[in-house]
Short mmCIF file of all heavy atoms in Angstrom, two decimals:
data_model
loop_
_atom_site.label_atom_id
_atom_site.label_comp_id
_atom_site.label_asym_id
_atom_site.label_seq_id
_atom_site.Cartn_x
_atom_site.Cartn_y
_atom_site.Cartn_z
N MET A 9 98.13 114.67 78.63
CA MET A 9 99.46 114.25 78.86
C MET A 9 99.48 113.58 80.27
O MET A 9 98.90 114.11 81.19
CB MET A 9 100.39 115.44 78.79
CG MET A 9 101.80 115.08 79.18
SD MET A 9 102.96 116.47 78.91
CE MET A 9 102.31 117.74 79.92
N PHE A 10 100.14 112.40 80.34
CA PHE A 10 100.31 111.74 81.60
C PHE A 10 101.77 111.80 82.04
O PHE A 10 102.67 111.49 81.23
CB PHE A 10 99.90 110.26 81.52
CG PHE A 10 98.38 110.11 81.37
CD1 PHE A 10 97.80 110.11 80.13
CD2 PHE A 10 97.60 109.94 82.47
CE1 PHE A 10 96.43 109.96 79.99
CE2 PHE A 10 96.23 109.80 82.34
CZ PHE A 10 95.66 109.77 81.13
N GLU A 11 102.01 112.23 83.27
CA GLU A 11 103.36 112.28 83.79
C GLU A 11 103.39 111.69 85.18
O GLU A 11 102.45 111.76 85.94
CB GLU A 11 103.81 113.74 83.94
CG GLU A 11 103.86 114.51 82.64
CD GLU A 11 104.29 115.94 82.83
OE1 GLU A 11 103.45 116.71 83.38
OE2 GLU A 11 105.44 116.29 82.54
N PRO A 12 104.55 111.02 85.51
CA PRO A 12 104.66 110.53 86.90
C PRO A 12 104.52 111.66 87.91
O PRO A 12 105.01 112.76 87.66
CB PRO A 12 106.13 109.95 86.92
CG PRO A 12 106.46 109.71 85.51
CD PRO A 12 105.73 110.74 84.74
N TYR A 13 103.82 111.34 89.02
CA TYR A 13 103.63 112.34 90.08
C TYR A 13 103.58 111.67 91.42
O TYR A 13 102.65 110.86 91.66
CB TYR A 13 102.29 113.09 89.84
CG TYR A 13 101.97 114.16 90.79
CD1 TYR A 13 102.61 115.42 90.72
CD2 TYR A 13 101.12 113.94 91.85
CE1 TYR A 13 102.29 116.43 91.64
CE2 TYR A 13 100.83 114.93 92.81
CZ TYR A 13 101.40 116.16 92.66
OH TYR A 13 101.10 117.17 93.56
N ASP A 14 104.58 111.88 92.25
CA ASP A 14 104.73 111.18 93.50
C ASP A 14 104.62 109.67 93.21
O ASP A 14 105.37 109.18 92.44
CB ASP A 14 103.67 111.61 94.56
CG ASP A 14 103.93 113.05 95.04
OD1 ASP A 14 105.10 113.50 95.01
OD2 ASP A 14 102.94 113.73 95.42
N GLU A 15 103.71 108.99 93.87
CA GLU A 15 103.51 107.54 93.66
C GLU A 15 102.47 107.23 92.61
O GLU A 15 102.17 106.06 92.33
CB GLU A 15 103.17 106.84 94.97
CG GLU A 15 104.22 106.97 96.05
CD GLU A 15 105.51 106.27 95.64
OE1 GLU A 15 105.47 105.18 95.07
OE2 GLU A 15 106.60 106.88 95.88
N ASP A 16 101.84 108.25 92.09
CA ASP A 16 100.74 108.07 91.11
C ASP A 16 101.11 108.71 89.77
O ASP A 16 102.25 108.78 89.43
CB ASP A 16 99.45 108.66 91.66
CG ASP A 16 98.98 108.01 92.95
OD1 ASP A 16 99.08 106.77 93.01
OD2 ASP A 16 98.52 108.71 93.86
N TRP A 17 100.12 109.21 89.09
CA TRP A 17 100.29 109.93 87.77
C TRP A 17 99.51 111.23 87.84
O TRP A 17 98.57 111.39 88.62
CB TRP A 17 99.68 109.07 86.64
CG TRP A 17 100.43 107.78 86.42
CD1 TRP A 17 100.19 106.61 87.10
CD2 TRP A 17 101.47 107.54 85.51
NE1 TRP A 17 101.01 105.63 86.63
CE2 TRP A 17 101.79 106.19 85.66
CE3 TRP A 17 102.11 108.33 84.60
CZ2 TRP A 17 102.81 105.62 84.90
CZ3 TRP A 17 103.11 107.72 83.84
CH2 TRP A 17 103.44 106.43 83.98
N GLN A 18 99.90 112.12 86.99
CA GLN A 18 99.14 113.39 86.84
C GLN A 18 98.71 113.51 85.38
O GLN A 18 99.55 113.34 84.48
CB GLN A 18 99.98 114.58 87.23
CG GLN A 18 99.24 115.91 87.09
CD GLN A 18 100.03 117.07 87.63
OE1 GLN A 18 99.97 117.32 88.81
NE2 GLN A 18 100.81 117.73 86.77
N ARG A 19 97.45 113.75 85.12
CA ARG A 19 96.91 113.93 83.78
C ARG A 19 96.70 115.42 83.60
O ARG A 19 95.98 116.05 84.36
CB ARG A 19 95.61 113.19 83.60
CG ARG A 19 95.07 113.31 82.12
CD ARG A 19 93.72 112.64 82.00
NE ARG A 19 92.67 113.40 82.58
CZ ARG A 19 92.04 114.42 81.97
NH1 ARG A 19 92.33 114.74 80.73
NH2 ARG A 19 91.07 115.04 82.52
N THR A 20 97.32 115.99 82.52
CA THR A 20 97.12 117.37 82.23
C THR A 20 96.47 117.49 80.86
O THR A 20 96.89 116.80 79.89
CB THR A 20 98.48 118.15 82.21
OG1 THR A 20 99.17 117.90 83.43
CG2 THR A 20 98.29 119.61 81.98
N GLU A 21 95.43 118.31 80.77
CA GLU A 21 94.73 118.51 79.52
C GLU A 21 95.01 119.89 78.93
O GLU A 21 95.12 120.87 79.65
CB GLU A 21 93.22 118.39 79.79
CG GLU A 21 92.37 118.38 78.53
CD GLU A 21 90.92 118.09 78.84
OE1 GLU A 21 90.63 117.43 79.88
OE2 GLU A 21 90.08 118.51 78.08
N PHE A 22 95.18 119.92 77.63
CA PHE A 22 95.47 121.17 76.89
C PHE A 22 94.47 121.37 75.78
O PHE A 22 93.85 120.44 75.30
CB PHE A 22 96.86 121.11 76.27
CG PHE A 22 98.00 120.95 77.29
CD1 PHE A 22 98.39 119.74 77.74
CD2 PHE A 22 98.64 122.08 77.77
CE1 PHE A 22 99.42 119.56 78.67
CE2 PHE A 22 99.64 121.94 78.70
CZ PHE A 22 100.06 120.71 79.13
N GLU A 23 94.35 122.64 75.33
CA GLU A 23 93.57 122.96 74.13
C GLU A 23 94.36 123.90 73.25
O GLU A 23 95.18 124.66 73.77
CB GLU A 23 92.22 123.54 74.48
CG GLU A 23 92.24 124.91 74.95
CD GLU A 23 90.86 125.51 75.26
OE1 GLU A 23 89.87 124.83 75.09
OE2 GLU A 23 90.79 126.72 75.61
N TRP A 24 94.15 123.78 71.94
CA TRP A 24 94.80 124.68 71.00
C TRP A 24 93.98 125.94 70.84
O TRP A 24 92.80 125.93 70.56
CB TRP A 24 94.99 123.95 69.66
CG TRP A 24 95.65 124.74 68.62
CD1 TRP A 24 95.09 125.27 67.49
CD2 TRP A 24 97.06 125.13 68.60
NE1 TRP A 24 96.03 125.95 66.76
CE2 TRP A 24 97.23 125.92 67.43
CE3 TRP A 24 98.08 124.92 69.47
CZ2 TRP A 24 98.47 126.46 67.09
CZ3 TRP A 24 99.36 125.50 69.16
CH2 TRP A 24 99.49 126.21 67.99
N THR A 25 94.61 127.11 71.07
CA THR A 25 93.92 128.37 71.00
C THR A 25 93.95 128.98 69.56
O THR A 25 93.39 130.05 69.35
CB THR A 25 94.56 129.41 71.93
OG1 THR A 25 95.88 129.70 71.44
CG2 THR A 25 94.63 128.92 73.35
N GLY A 26 94.62 128.33 68.65
CA GLY A 26 94.84 128.85 67.32
C GLY A 26 96.24 129.48 67.23
O GLY A 26 96.71 129.73 66.09
N GLU A 27 96.86 129.72 68.33
CA GLU A 27 98.21 130.27 68.37
C GLU A 27 99.15 129.48 69.21
O GLU A 27 100.36 129.41 68.98
CB GLU A 27 98.19 131.71 68.86
CG GLU A 27 97.44 132.64 67.94
CD GLU A 27 97.45 134.05 68.49
OE1 GLU A 27 98.14 134.34 69.45
OE2 GLU A 27 96.71 134.90 67.92
N GLU A 28 98.62 128.87 70.34
CA GLU A 28 99.46 128.10 71.24
C GLU A 28 98.61 127.10 72.00
O GLU A 28 97.43 127.19 72.03
CB GLU A 28 100.19 129.03 72.23
CG GLU A 28 99.23 129.79 73.13
CD GLU A 28 99.93 130.76 74.03
OE1 GLU A 28 101.15 130.96 73.96
OE2 GLU A 28 99.23 131.38 74.87
N TRP A 29 99.28 126.17 72.69
CA TRP A 29 98.59 125.21 73.54
C TRP A 29 98.41 125.86 74.91
O TRP A 29 99.37 126.44 75.46
CB TRP A 29 99.42 123.92 73.71
CG TRP A 29 99.38 123.10 72.47
CD1 TRP A 29 100.40 122.99 71.52
CD2 TRP A 29 98.28 122.26 71.99
NE1 TRP A 29 99.96 122.20 70.50
CE2 TRP A 29 98.75 121.70 70.79
CE3 TRP A 29 97.05 121.96 72.50
CZ2 TRP A 29 97.92 120.82 70.07
CZ3 TRP A 29 96.26 121.08 71.82
CH2 TRP A 29 96.67 120.52 70.62
N ARG A 30 97.21 125.72 75.46
CA ARG A 30 96.89 126.32 76.75
C ARG A 30 96.43 125.23 77.71
O ARG A 30 95.54 124.42 77.32
CB ARG A 30 95.75 127.35 76.57
CG ARG A 30 95.32 127.98 77.90
CD ARG A 30 94.30 129.08 77.60
NE ARG A 30 93.06 128.45 77.12
CZ ARG A 30 91.89 128.54 77.74
NH1 ARG A 30 91.77 129.19 78.88
NH2 ARG A 30 90.83 128.01 77.24
N GLU A 31 96.95 125.16 78.89
CA GLU A 31 96.49 124.14 79.87
C GLU A 31 95.09 124.51 80.32
O GLU A 31 94.80 125.59 80.69
CB GLU A 31 97.47 124.16 81.07
CG GLU A 31 97.09 123.09 82.08
CD GLU A 31 98.06 123.06 83.23
OE1 GLU A 31 99.31 123.17 83.01
OE2 GLU A 31 97.59 122.94 84.36
N THR A 32 94.22 123.46 80.31
CA THR A 32 92.85 123.69 80.70
C THR A 32 92.48 122.96 82.01
O THR A 32 91.46 123.20 82.60
CB THR A 32 91.86 123.24 79.63
OG1 THR A 32 92.07 121.86 79.36
CG2 THR A 32 92.06 124.05 78.37
N GLY A 33 93.38 122.10 82.47
CA GLY A 33 93.08 121.38 83.73
C GLY A 33 94.08 120.26 83.95
O GLY A 33 94.82 119.83 83.09
N ARG A 34 94.07 119.80 85.21
CA ARG A 34 94.92 118.68 85.58
C ARG A 34 94.31 117.91 86.74
O ARG A 34 93.51 118.48 87.50
CB ARG A 34 96.34 119.11 85.91
CG ARG A 34 96.49 120.04 87.08
CD ARG A 34 97.93 120.33 87.44
NE ARG A 34 98.57 121.08 86.35
CZ ARG A 34 99.85 121.27 86.31
NH1 ARG A 34 100.63 120.84 87.23
NH2 ARG A 34 100.39 121.96 85.32
N GLU A 35 94.59 116.65 86.81
CA GLU A 35 94.07 115.85 87.89
C GLU A 35 95.03 114.71 88.16
O GLU A 35 95.82 114.29 87.32
CB GLU A 35 92.69 115.24 87.53
CG GLU A 35 92.74 114.23 86.41
CD GLU A 35 91.37 113.66 86.06
OE1 GLU A 35 90.51 113.66 86.94
OE2 GLU A 35 91.21 113.24 84.89
N ARG A 36 95.02 114.24 89.41
CA ARG A 36 95.87 113.11 89.81
C ARG A 36 95.12 111.85 89.55
O ARG A 36 93.91 111.76 89.87
CB ARG A 36 96.18 113.28 91.31
CG ARG A 36 97.23 112.39 91.81
CD ARG A 36 97.63 112.75 93.22
NE ARG A 36 98.61 111.86 93.75
CZ ARG A 36 99.18 112.00 94.90
NH1 ARG A 36 98.81 113.01 95.68
NH2 ARG A 36 100.12 111.18 95.29
N VAL A 37 95.81 110.86 88.98
CA VAL A 37 95.17 109.55 88.71
C VAL A 37 96.04 108.45 89.31
O VAL A 37 97.28 108.67 89.50
CB VAL A 37 94.99 109.29 87.20
CG1 VAL A 37 93.98 110.31 86.64
CG2 VAL A 37 96.30 109.43 86.40
N THR A 38 95.44 107.33 89.68
CA THR A 38 96.21 106.26 90.31
C THR A 38 96.56 105.12 89.38
O THR A 38 97.42 104.34 89.68
CB THR A 38 95.40 105.69 91.49
OG1 THR A 38 94.14 105.26 91.01
CG2 THR A 38 95.19 106.78 92.55
N GLU A 39 95.84 105.03 88.23
CA GLU A 39 96.16 103.95 87.29
C GLU A 39 96.07 104.50 85.88
O GLU A 39 95.29 105.38 85.54
CB GLU A 39 95.13 102.83 87.42
CG GLU A 39 95.19 102.11 88.75
CD GLU A 39 94.22 100.94 88.79
OE1 GLU A 39 93.78 100.45 87.71
OE2 GLU A 39 93.87 100.56 89.91
N VAL A 40 96.96 103.96 85.02
CA VAL A 40 96.97 104.30 83.59
C VAL A 40 96.90 103.02 82.80
O VAL A 40 97.57 102.02 83.13
CB VAL A 40 98.26 105.10 83.26
CG1 VAL A 40 98.32 105.34 81.76
CG2 VAL A 40 98.33 106.38 84.04
N ALA A 41 95.99 102.94 81.82
CA ALA A 41 95.88 101.77 80.93
C ALA A 41 96.23 102.19 79.53
O ALA A 41 96.01 103.32 79.11
CB ALA A 41 94.53 101.19 80.99
N CYS A 42 96.82 101.25 78.74
CA CYS A 42 97.10 101.47 77.36
C CYS A 42 96.15 100.58 76.52
O CYS A 42 95.71 99.54 76.94
CB CYS A 42 98.54 101.08 77.06
SG CYS A 42 99.74 102.01 78.04
N PHE A 43 95.85 100.99 75.32
CA PHE A 43 94.97 100.27 74.40
C PHE A 43 95.71 99.89 73.16
O PHE A 43 96.38 100.76 72.54
CB PHE A 43 93.72 101.03 74.07
CG PHE A 43 92.82 101.25 75.25
CD1 PHE A 43 92.95 102.32 76.06
CD2 PHE A 43 91.84 100.28 75.54
CE1 PHE A 43 92.16 102.49 77.20
CE2 PHE A 43 91.01 100.43 76.63
CZ PHE A 43 91.17 101.54 77.43
N GLY A 44 95.70 98.59 72.81
CA GLY A 44 96.39 98.10 71.63
C GLY A 44 95.60 98.34 70.32
O GLY A 44 94.50 98.94 70.39
N SER A 45 96.11 97.88 69.28
CA SER A 45 95.52 98.11 67.95
C SER A 45 94.12 97.45 67.85
O SER A 45 93.29 97.87 67.01
CB SER A 45 96.43 97.67 66.83
OG SER A 45 96.71 96.26 66.98
N ASN A 46 93.90 96.40 68.60
CA ASN A 46 92.57 95.76 68.52
C ASN A 46 91.68 96.15 69.73
O ASN A 46 90.75 95.44 70.08
CB ASN A 46 92.68 94.22 68.46
CG ASN A 46 93.50 93.65 69.64
OD1 ASN A 46 93.97 94.39 70.47
ND2 ASN A 46 93.66 92.35 69.65
N ASP A 47 91.97 97.30 70.32
CA ASP A 47 91.19 97.89 71.41
C ASP A 47 91.22 97.08 72.72
O ASP A 47 90.39 97.28 73.53
CB ASP A 47 89.74 98.14 71.01
CG ASP A 47 89.67 99.24 69.93
OD1 ASP A 47 90.54 100.12 69.93
OD2 ASP A 47 88.70 99.21 69.13
N ASP A 48 92.19 96.20 72.88
CA ASP A 48 92.34 95.44 74.13
C ASP A 48 93.05 96.43 75.11
O ASP A 48 94.04 97.03 74.82
CB ASP A 48 93.16 94.20 73.98
CG ASP A 48 92.41 93.11 73.19
OD1 ASP A 48 91.19 93.16 73.16
OD2 ASP A 48 93.07 92.25 72.65
N SER A 49 92.55 96.41 76.34
CA SER A 49 93.21 97.22 77.38
C SER A 49 94.38 96.45 77.93
O SER A 49 94.32 95.28 78.27
CB SER A 49 92.19 97.48 78.52
OG SER A 49 92.81 98.15 79.59
N VAL A 50 95.52 97.11 78.07
CA VAL A 50 96.72 96.54 78.55
C VAL A 50 97.30 97.45 79.66
O VAL A 50 97.53 98.60 79.41
CB VAL A 50 97.75 96.41 77.38
CG1 VAL A 50 99.05 95.80 77.93
CG2 VAL A 50 97.21 95.60 76.25
N ALA A 51 97.52 96.88 80.81
CA ALA A 51 98.11 97.66 81.89
C ALA A 51 99.60 97.79 81.68
O ALA A 51 100.25 96.81 81.25
CB ALA A 51 97.85 97.01 83.25
N PRO A 52 100.18 98.91 81.86
CA PRO A 52 101.65 99.07 81.71
C PRO A 52 102.37 98.14 82.73
O PRO A 52 101.97 98.02 83.84
CB PRO A 52 101.92 100.52 82.05
CG PRO A 52 100.62 101.26 81.94
CD PRO A 52 99.57 100.22 82.24
N ASP A 53 103.36 97.41 82.20
CA ASP A 53 104.16 96.45 83.02
C ASP A 53 105.32 97.15 83.66
O ASP A 53 105.83 98.12 83.11
CB ASP A 53 104.66 95.28 82.18
CG ASP A 53 103.48 94.40 81.74
OD1 ASP A 53 102.46 94.34 82.40
OD2 ASP A 53 103.61 93.77 80.66
N GLY A 54 105.78 96.60 84.76
CA GLY A 54 107.02 97.11 85.38
C GLY A 54 106.82 98.38 86.12
O GLY A 54 105.71 98.90 86.26
N PRO A 55 107.93 98.92 86.59
CA PRO A 55 107.84 100.17 87.39
C PRO A 55 107.47 101.34 86.48
O PRO A 55 107.71 101.36 85.30
CB PRO A 55 109.25 100.30 87.94
CG PRO A 55 110.10 99.55 87.00
CD PRO A 55 109.28 98.41 86.51
N ARG A 56 106.85 102.31 87.12
CA ARG A 56 106.50 103.54 86.45
C ARG A 56 107.74 104.25 85.91
O ARG A 56 108.76 104.37 86.62
CB ARG A 56 105.79 104.51 87.48
CG ARG A 56 104.55 104.98 87.03
CD ARG A 56 103.79 105.70 88.13
NE ARG A 56 104.44 105.97 89.39
CZ ARG A 56 104.96 107.12 89.73
NH1 ARG A 56 104.90 108.14 88.87
NH2 ARG A 56 105.55 107.32 90.87
N PRO A 57 107.73 104.73 84.64
CA PRO A 57 108.92 105.42 84.16
C PRO A 57 109.09 106.76 84.90
O PRO A 57 108.14 107.40 85.29
CB PRO A 57 108.54 105.69 82.67
CG PRO A 57 107.10 105.58 82.57
CD PRO A 57 106.64 104.69 83.72
N ARG A 58 110.34 107.06 85.08
CA ARG A 58 110.69 108.39 85.70
C ARG A 58 111.30 109.25 84.68
O ARG A 58 112.12 108.76 83.88
CB ARG A 58 111.67 108.14 86.87
CG ARG A 58 111.09 107.33 87.97
CD ARG A 58 110.32 108.26 88.90
NE ARG A 58 109.81 107.51 90.04
CZ ARG A 58 108.92 107.94 90.86
NH1 ARG A 58 108.40 109.12 90.61
NH2 ARG A 58 108.53 107.26 91.83
N PRO A 59 111.05 110.54 84.70
CA PRO A 59 111.72 111.43 83.75
C PRO A 59 113.20 111.47 84.03
O PRO A 59 113.65 111.39 85.18
CB PRO A 59 111.10 112.82 83.97
CG PRO A 59 110.20 112.64 85.13
CD PRO A 59 110.12 111.23 85.52
N VAL A 60 113.98 111.56 82.98
CA VAL A 60 115.46 111.73 83.11
C VAL A 60 115.83 113.05 82.50
O VAL A 60 115.09 113.72 81.81
CB VAL A 60 116.20 110.58 82.40
CG1 VAL A 60 115.87 109.25 83.08
CG2 VAL A 60 115.84 110.52 80.96
N GLY A 61 117.05 113.48 82.81
CA GLY A 61 117.51 114.77 82.31
C GLY A 61 117.37 114.88 80.81
O GLY A 61 117.48 113.90 80.10
N GLY A 62 117.10 116.10 80.34
CA GLY A 62 116.96 116.30 78.88
C GLY A 62 116.53 117.73 78.64
O GLY A 62 116.36 118.50 79.53
N GLU A 63 116.28 118.01 77.41
CA GLU A 63 115.85 119.36 77.05
C GLU A 63 114.35 119.55 77.30
O GLU A 63 113.59 118.62 77.12
CB GLU A 63 116.12 119.62 75.57
CG GLU A 63 117.59 119.65 75.24
CD GLU A 63 117.86 119.90 73.79
OE1 GLU A 63 116.99 120.48 73.13
OE2 GLU A 63 118.96 119.48 73.30
N ASP A 64 114.03 120.72 77.76
CA ASP A 64 112.60 121.07 77.92
C ASP A 64 111.96 121.38 76.59
O ASP A 64 112.65 121.83 75.67
CB ASP A 64 112.41 122.29 78.81
CG ASP A 64 112.73 122.04 80.27
OD1 ASP A 64 112.73 120.84 80.66
OD2 ASP A 64 113.03 123.00 80.97
N ASP A 65 110.63 121.15 76.44
CA ASP A 65 109.95 121.43 75.23
C ASP A 65 109.59 122.92 75.16
O ASP A 65 109.14 123.36 74.06
CB ASP A 65 108.63 120.62 75.12
CG ASP A 65 108.94 119.14 74.90
OD1 ASP A 65 110.03 118.84 74.41
OD2 ASP A 65 108.06 118.35 75.20
N GLY A 66 109.71 123.70 76.17
CA GLY A 66 109.30 125.07 76.10
C GLY A 66 110.19 125.92 76.85
O GLY A 66 110.26 127.03 77.03
#
């Protein structure tokens, strides 16, 4: 999962335990790229999205 973090991004990795998702690690990243249907790399355009108010998943 990638989430905005300060001026960069934070990547969090999870694994399924058979009963629930468990966080296995996280790291700060400075760039995020997206891949289209034909495997072309596309950099996200515009400002980084910021989370807005809403319901939590857990």
Side-chain angles (χ1 to χ4, degrees):
M9 174 173 57
F10 289 88
E11 297 179 287
Y13 181 80
D14 291 332
E15 297 297 317
D16 298 319
W17 295 85
Q18 180 172 274
R19 183 183 75 85
T20 307
E21 188 173 334
F22 298 87
E23 72 177 3
W24 180 248
T25 66
E27 296 180 9
E28 64 183 4
W29 288 102
R30 177 177 68 117
E31 183 178 318
T32 58
R34 62 175 64 191
E35 66 181 335
R36 191 171 180 177
V37 294
T38 57
E39 294 183 22
V40 175
C42 301
F43 292 88
S45 59
N46 58 358
D47 293 332
D48 289 337
S49 175
V50 179
D53 292 332
R56 231 171 9 100
R58 295 276 184 195
V60 294
E63 294 180 22
D64 288 340
D65 290 336

